[in-house]
Amino acid sequence: MDRDNGPRVRVPEQRAPEKPGTADALRFTVLGPVRAWRGSEPLSSGSPQQRALLAALLLREGRTATASELIDAFWGEDPPSQALATIRTYASRLRKILGQDTLVSESGGYAIRTDRAALDLTLAQDLAGEAEKARAAGDRCQARTLINKVLGLWDGEALASVPGPYADNQRTRLEEWRLQLTEARLDLDLEVGCHAEAVSELTALTAAHPLRERLRELLMVALYRSGRQAEALAVYADTRRLLAEELGVDPRPELAQLQQRILRADEELARPADEPAPAPAPLRPAQLPATVPDFTGRSAFVSELGGRLATAEGSVMAVSAVAGIGGVGKTTLAVHVAHQARRHFPDGQLYVDLQGAGARAAEPETVLGSFLRALGTADSAIPDTLDERAALYRSTLDGRRILILLDNAHDAAQIRPLLPGTAGCAALVTSRVRMVDLAGAHLVDLDVMSPEEALQLFTRIVGDERVGAEREAALDVVAACGFLPLAIRIAASRLAARRTWTVSVLAAKLADGRRRLDELQAGDLAVKATFELGYGQLEPAQARAFRLLGLADGPDISLAAAAALLNLDPHAAEDLLEALVDTSLVESAAPGRYRYHDLVRLYARACAERDEEPVERESALSRLLDFYLATAAGVYALERPGDRLADHREPTQYSGLTFADRHSAQDWLYTEANSLLACVRQSSGAGAVRRAVDLLWATKDLAESGANSKQYEAAAITMRDLARSSDDARAEGRALITLTNARLVAGRFDQAERDAQRAMRLARAVDDPLPSCWAPNDLGIIALYQNRHAEGEAYLEQAIANFRADGNRPGEASALCNLSRIHLAMGNTTSAVALAQQGIDIYDELGHALRGANGRYALGLALTQSGRFADATEQLHDALAVFRDSRQRLWEGMATFRLAEVDLAAGLPAQAATKSEQALAILRGIGGEWRRGNVLTVLGRALSEIGQPGRAQVCWREALEIYETLGSAEIETVRKLLVPTLPG
């Protein structure tokens, strides 16, 4: 059984050190068990005393060890009478194994002659030397890599099980060197900004080596840079107390100075070292789209904007905002200017389409997350809130010269958080609205092209020969386009692609009022007029596809979904979509996925409203909903064999995709999540609400993934309101269950209880078995979380009865596992174990991987309370592996937390602290504050037991604040932990 003796270094499977040369070369290891190989064949190293001789000779690194030195190494001051003969016997045996050329006798002693690369210790010494040189040269990343290689050579305790005083001394020396290397690597971690990742490892190391002040110092810095100032100061307080009690001394001056810097909130301390490691080079984003090769005119605007951007090299932060109607060429101009200005911004360029013209503009916090990743910020270091992300973004840009192109903005409020805050950077904004409320911005109003520029652009695309022969017709074409660059480009591209057309033919088509909107120069209608040209050239089937595909709300659409919407087989749908891509009316977002530019989508919908009967528009969206529901129900059935949703869901007229295994099914679900939820939100037509609600039910996994939890909850609220307004009790009841699930994930139990209570009442009224089963199941879970155990037991027994009446065995298993947790909370550990095992048996019989993991999670809790810690750990580890594989971040975090509880109960507080830190990181942004409070409470207990009471109290105070805000039953428990420190 493992003892709680500190962290174990995570290393790959230990192998003999590699050595160039022949395949049968000898190789040795001492950084772990003493072993030998010839080529890939392990050699017997004999008894422990014989291994002691081999180790003593290897550690001499080729120097001769005399017989007296070896006797001292083996027995110290009390050798046996036959010591010399024993040494000679061991040497003779080793020589037979290694060969006479390797173990040689000379000067009354012995030596092993071999290359340096043949011994893991000398290889480690050489790598450590290279690491020191790399660090001295400023190459921190290379230094970290080399030190990690050195640490990876260890395979447990050096000279493991080798007897004798010499081996004992060498073990101590090598372990100290190993710790020094670990400290050096952690120091490098902090220098390159990996402070958040270092906290859990440093927590474990300080527990294992409580008097090692350098580790405490590194932990204080890591906590401070992670925004945990109170814990950093608590580490100092714990260290000062421990040193006084154990050694009667104060902390070294460096530690005391660090405490003062933290108290002053030293900004220099909050940042990693200024100079970046030369390898790899700092990320230099280059996100600008390609500039068009035929950019034409706009010379005054190019000069004006270019001059403004160049001022960013001085003492100001330049912001320029380009406004104009859709299709006027704002993006083309901005991209062209940005490319010309790149030399002024050597640290990179960022770009984003803010989708301001669409119904759902990009959220600033989402954009900031993308920008921070592009600038090299790790996902784990990106904060959750908009204000925190904006602050980190500005800090990341400080001292760098970067150009940010914010394309297609909705309004000034959307872009303010995205603006850099210091000189040296610049922002270029495009929008359909003038940014008059954007303080300090240089505003540019972009109008249509002049006739000369418009004709020049047309000529560059079509060719001098064709335009020169029909100049007047070409002028008619650009005039009919309203001199809008986008309309001109579309018209010219179509003409260039049709060699049989003349310019006059195109001009005649545009002159036909049936093919061109009269409102060509009337505001936004000019955008529609420009697309009318491309649309008018489409074949009837292409035009229909263009119109109908524009009805779908999602950010993009897959080929399979498009085929369903169009009621075509995938090959025919692909031919149409690729034809639309060729006309630039549709973009190919990725292989097999398509999207509209936001303005093109608006135009396509206008065409659908004009050219399609309402019944056809409704039928197209109905087929799309059918496709998503049928496919998602298949994914649900793969994850939950035997579940009755397939029998109780609304029927569909259009079939969906099928999958060979649950992993490919999950890939589809998470890839389609945004488009699928958008389809749910827009399904408000007669007969669509029930199917949309069932689609939400079939995609419950999205709520627990973390990535789509908020969007899922928003869709559930939309469907609840639609069902209620249409007086559809069945749809509302099911929508409320999906909403209950989302709110359970978010930790909002009071709201979840209200939703589940109403769902249960509605289910009884309409005799709907789905919510009739799941509402009491959810209410039982909520009662468990709120310590209403008798009430929770009644709910879950009702749920079990209802599931059994419906023949829903997976649901029965779920309720049994939840009832196990109720029994556990009531102190009935024996029945808790039995109930959880009953649930697992059902899951295993049906082949439930993911839900079986939920059962093992419940069993792990029961086994923990029963004192069967090894069994509990096994169950929770099995569950954790499935949760990770299924992308269930909530349950991954909770399983990690429960493993921390097992470690704490088993007397392994250092491991418990490490796992609690990991759980906090995984649950960031999901699970709600109540769950965070639970993890903080356990982390505090673990820290207290490893001699860090100051940090423990910080964790408990934060947990108490959470519980007091929520009014949770855990308040008194945490208050008791804080009794010595609470006032009064």
Side-chain angles (χ1 to χ4, degrees):
M1 184 173 184
D2 288 342
R3 295 173 297 160
D4 187 23
N5 58 357
R8 298 182 65 185
V9 177
R10 297 184 301 274
V11 298
E13 180 182 352
Q14 209 263 1
R15 297 185 177 90
E18 294 183 2
K19 172 182 178 292
T22 61
D24 60 349
L26 284 168
R27 294 168 290 165
F28 303 92
T29 64
V30 294
L31 299 178
V34 176
R35 290 178 289 196
W37 288 264
R38 187 178 301 279
S40 59
E41 186 71 23
L43 302 177
S44 172
S45 52
S47 65
Q49 291 77 14
Q50 188 169 306
R51 289 199 302 275
L53 174 61
L54 176 60
L57 296 177
L58 288 171
L59 290 171
R60 300 277 174 153
E61 298 181 20
R63 299 187 302 277
T64 299
T66 66
S68 61
E69 288 174 335
L70 291 172
I71 290 172
D72 287 342
F74 272 47
W75 295 286
E77 297 180 356
D78 189 23
S81 59
Q82 299 298 317
L84 181 59
T86 301
I87 293 292
R88 289 172 176 168
T89 299
Y90 292 148
S92 175
R93 292 173 182 173
L94 282 175
R95 185 178 289 113
K96 291 178 181 178
I97 297 169
L98 303 178
Q100 295 184 354
D101 294 336
T102 300
L103 200 162
V104 299
S105 302
E106 59 182 22
S107 305
Y110 301 96
I112 288 181
R113 305 284 191 236
T114 187
D115 294 338
R116 285 185 62 81
L119 178 63
D120 60 352
L121 175 59
T122 51
L123 179 60
Q125 292 168 343
D126 293 344
L127 288 171
E130 292 178 25
E132 289 179 7
K133 293 178 183 178
R135 187 170 188 178
D139 192 346
R140 297 187 184 88
C141 291
Q142 177 66 4
R144 286 176 73 211
T145 300
L146 290 168
I147 292 178
N148 276 326
K149 286 184 178 180
V150 176
L151 293 171
L153 291 172
W154 258 270
D155 186 20
E157 183 183 52
L159 305 174
S161 302
V162 174
Y166 178 75
D168 290 340
N169 291 336
Q170 291 300 311
R171 249 192 307 273
T172 301
R173 177 182 71 85
L174 291 172
E175 181 57 27
E176 173 61 24
W177 186 45
R178 183 184 189 180
L179 273 173
Q180 291 172 358
L181 288 167
T182 302
E183 288 173 344
R185 197 259 302 150
L186 286 164
D187 195 16
L188 286 165
D189 288 347
L190 299 186
E191 288 185 17
V192 299
C194 296
H195 37 268
E197 294 85 345
V199 170
S200 60
E201 184 176 357
L202 281 164
T203 296
L205 284 167
T206 53
H209 308 281
L211 298 177
R212 201 170 183 94
E213 292 182 69
R214 178 55 179 157
L215 289 173
R216 299 272 183 156
E217 181 180 343
L218 292 169
L219 177 58
M220 289 172 67
V221 174
L223 287 167
Y224 179 66
R225 289 182 180 170
S226 299
R228 299 161 70 173
Q229 182 181 13
E231 286 187 65
L233 293 170
V235 171
Y236 178 80
D238 291 338
T239 306
R240 184 176 182 182
R241 174 192 54 76
L242 183 65
L243 292 173
E245 292 176 354
E246 298 289 330
L247 305 177
V249 299
D250 290 327
R252 60 186 182 139
E254 293 86 350
L255 208 61
Q257 292 167 7
L258 178 60
Q259 182 218 21
Q260 292 301 312
R261 293 183 71 184
I262 292 174
L263 286 170
R264 295 195 306 270
D266 191 326
E267 292 184 2
E268 290 298 318
L269 181 62
R271 292 195 297 267
D274 288 334
E275 60 277 11
L283 288 181
R284 182 177 173 273
Q287 297 183 343
L288 294 178
T291 187
V292 295
D294 48 26
F295 181 86
T296 302
R298 309 296 201 187
S299 56
F301 292 109
V302 170
S303 176
E304 178 183 357
L305 290 169
R308 290 289 303 180
L309 293 179
T311 64
E313 289 189 6
S315 60
V316 299
M317 188 273 293
V319 179
S320 297
V322 181
I325 62 172
V328 80
K330 303 180 294 297
T331 299
T332 301
L333 172 64
V335 170
H336 181 79
V337 170
H339 274 283
Q340 288 200 336
R342 285 182 62 179
R343 60 187 177 87
H344 298 297
F345 304 97
D347 295 322
Q349 307 84 38
L350 296 169
Y351 171 85
V352 64
D353 178 2
L354 294 170
Q355 303 174 32
R360 295 180 179 84
E363 294 292 339
E365 54 262 49
T366 302
V367 176
L368 285 170
S370 176
F371 277 179
L372 286 168
R373 292 184 191 94
L375 292 166
T377 305
D379 279 352
S380 59
I382 297 176
D384 293 327
T385 68
L386 172 61
D387 290 341
E388 289 176 323
R389 288 187 177 191
L392 178 59
Y393 170 67
R394 291 191 295 271
S395 299
T396 304
L397 291 179
D398 185 34
R400 303 174 74 176
R401 286 158 57 188
I402 289 180
L403 173 62
I404 300 96
L405 177 48
L406 305 172
D407 193 20
N408 196 9
H410 179 68
D411 54 23
Q414 184 191 26
I415 67 169
R416 286 193 187 99
L418 310 179
L419 296 178
T422 56
C425 293
L428 187 55
V429 183
T430 73
S431 176
R432 291 194 296 169
V433 299
R434 298 186 79 243
M435 299 288 177
V436 293
D437 53 345
L438 189 60
H442 174 69
L443 303 181
V444 174
D445 291 320
L446 191 62
D447 203 351
V448 297
M449 283 181 153
S450 69
E452 291 78 16
E453 288 178 336
L455 182 61
Q456 186 180 5
L457 174 60
F458 185 81
T459 303
R460 285 189 173 181
I461 298 172
V462 175
D464 290 333
E465 182 178 351
R466 295 176 75 183
V467 174
E470 299 179 273
R471 180 178 174 81
E472 292 300 320
L475 288 171
D476 290 340
V477 168
V478 297
C481 289
F483 307 111
L484 284 168
L486 182 56
I488 296 167
R489 183 172 297 281
I490 293 174
S493 297
R494 296 292 292 169
L495 183 60
R498 288 162 174 76
R499 304 303 299 177
T500 59
W501 284 12
T502 64
V503 180
S504 298
V505 168
L506 177 59
K509 289 180 179 292
L510 292 177
D512 186 352
R514 296 170 300 176
R515 308 184 70 87
R516 180 171 54 88
L517 296 176
D518 293 333
E519 298 88 350
L520 184 61
Q521 296 181 355
D524 280 349
L525 292 178
V527 176
K528 292 184 180 181
T530 60
F531 289 115
E532 187 70 40
L533 174 64
Y535 178 71
Q537 306 303 322
L538 298 178
E539 301 295 333
Q542 296 171 351
R544 174 181 176 273
F546 174 73
R547 292 191 299 268
L548 295 181
L549 288 170
L551 297 173
D553 264 354
D556 61 3
I557 192 167
S558 68
L559 175 59
L565 185 146
L566 297 173
N567 200 21
L568 296 171
D569 69 76
H571 294 296
E574 184 176 24
D575 289 342
L576 291 175
L577 286 163
E578 290 300 325
L580 293 174
V581 170
D582 291 341
T583 65
S584 300
L585 292 173
V586 170
E587 300 175 16
S588 179
R593 302 198 71 84
Y594 302 89
R595 68 186 177 201
Y596 285 88
H597 183 280
D598 47 14
L599 297 178
V600 180
R601 185 195 301 277
L602 293 175
Y603 174 72
R605 289 183 175 178
C607 291
E609 291 172 4
R610 180 190 65 196
D611 299 336
E612 297 288 350
E613 294 294 331
V615 66
E616 178 56 25
R617 299 198 298 270
E618 292 173 6
S619 295
L621 291 176
S622 179
R623 289 191 296 270
L624 181 63
L625 178 58
D626 271 1
F627 166 78
Y628 281 136
L629 175 54
T631 307
V635 175
Y636 187 90
L638 274 175
E639 290 283 8
R640 300 165 176 83
D643 190 277
R644 294 298 306 283
L645 175 65
D647 303 301
H648 297 312
R649 72 171 175 87
E650 285 291 297
T652 54
Q653 301 300 316
Y654 198 94
S655 60
L657 300 174
T658 57
F659 303 98
D661 56 73
R662 57 186 294 265
H663 292 97
S664 57
Q666 285 178 348
D667 289 340
W668 177 87
L669 178 63
Y670 290 106
T671 299
E672 294 290 340
N674 290 327
S675 297
L676 183 152
L677 293 174
C679 179
V680 169
R681 288 193 297 268
Q682 75 173 136
S683 298
S684 58
V689 172
R690 287 192 174 189
R691 282 178 291 148
V693 169
D694 285 350
L695 175 54
L696 271 180
W697 193 296
T699 56
K700 281 183 177 182
D701 287 349
L702 295 178
E704 298 179 1
S705 69
N708 306 99
S709 301
K710 291 182 180 179
Q711 300 96 311
Y712 184 93
E713 183 176 0
I717 291 172
T718 298
M719 299 320 297
R720 176 204 62 188
D721 294 344
L722 281 171
R724 187 172 295 173
S725 64
S726 60
D727 199 25
D728 188 337
R730 187 180 115 157
E732 183 185 352
R734 294 189 181 190
L736 284 166
I737 292 298
T738 66
L739 190 53
T740 298
N741 189 49
R743 285 172 169 165
L744 277 172
V745 169
R748 296 194 294 275
F749 305 130
D750 289 340
Q751 291 179 340
E753 182 176 21
R754 288 194 295 271
D755 292 333
Q757 289 282 11
R758 179 170 173 79
M760 191 159 61
R761 291 194 298 271
L762 291 170
R764 288 171 179 164
V766 299
D767 193 24
D768 186 0
L770 279 180
S772 293
C773 294
W774 288 102
N777 189 56
D778 290 342
L779 286 166
I781 297 170
I782 295 165
L784 167 68
Y785 290 158
Q786 297 183 336
N787 291 332
R788 296 182 280 115
H789 302 140
E791 186 178 343
E793 183 177 28
Y795 277 129
L796 288 166
E797 287 175 349
Q798 178 186 349
I800 291 170
N802 292 354
F803 280 126
R804 286 173 176 167
D806 188 43
N808 192 332
R809 299 197 68 210
E812 177 188 349
S814 173
L816 285 168
C817 292
N818 292 329
L819 184 59
S820 163
R821 296 185 62 185
I822 289 284
H823 280 220
L824 188 64
M826 297 170 73
N828 303 324
T829 54
T830 302
S831 61
V833 170
L835 286 166
Q837 189 61 60
Q838 287 178 45
I840 292 173
D841 290 343
I842 294 174
Y843 282 138
D844 289 349
E845 178 186 344
L846 296 173
H848 272 251
L850 177 56
R851 297 307 142 191
N854 288 120
R856 285 171 173 80
Y857 175 90
L859 180 57
L861 301 186
L863 292 170
T864 301
Q865 196 157 316
S866 300
R868 296 164 59 184
F869 302 132
D871 292 338
T873 298
E874 181 181 359
Q875 294 295 327
L876 289 169
H877 270 301
D878 289 347
L880 178 61
V882 176
F883 292 144
R884 282 176 176 159
D885 185 57
S886 302
R887 311 180 206 183
Q888 294 295 297
R889 190 156 62 91
L890 170 66
W891 291 109
E892 178 189 349
M894 290 305 297
T896 304
F897 163 59
R898 298 304 185 183
L899 284 165
E901 288 186 318
V902 176
D903 286 339
L904 191 61
L908 305 172
Q911 294 182 24
T914 299
K915 289 187 176 70
S916 296
E917 289 279 6
Q918 292 169 352
L920 283 175
I922 296 168
L923 291 172
R924 189 174 186 174
I926 189 174
E929 287 296 287
W930 178 75
R931 291 185 175 94
R932 175 176 171 80
N934 293 344
V935 180
L936 285 168
T937 302
V938 170
L939 175 58
R941 290 180 186 273
L943 291 171
S944 178
E945 291 193 22
I946 62 175
Q948 299 186 27
R951 275 187 73 193
Q953 290 163 14
V954 172
C955 293
W956 290 333
R957 288 194 188 97
E958 185 177 348
L960 182 61
E961 289 177 6
I962 291 171
Y963 293 145
E964 287 177 340
T965 300
L966 298 175
S968 301
E970 292 81 4
I971 291 174
E972 289 307 315
T973 300
V974 180
R975 278 188 173 277
K976 290 177 182 178
L977 293 171
L978 285 167
V979 164
T981 61
L982 286 175

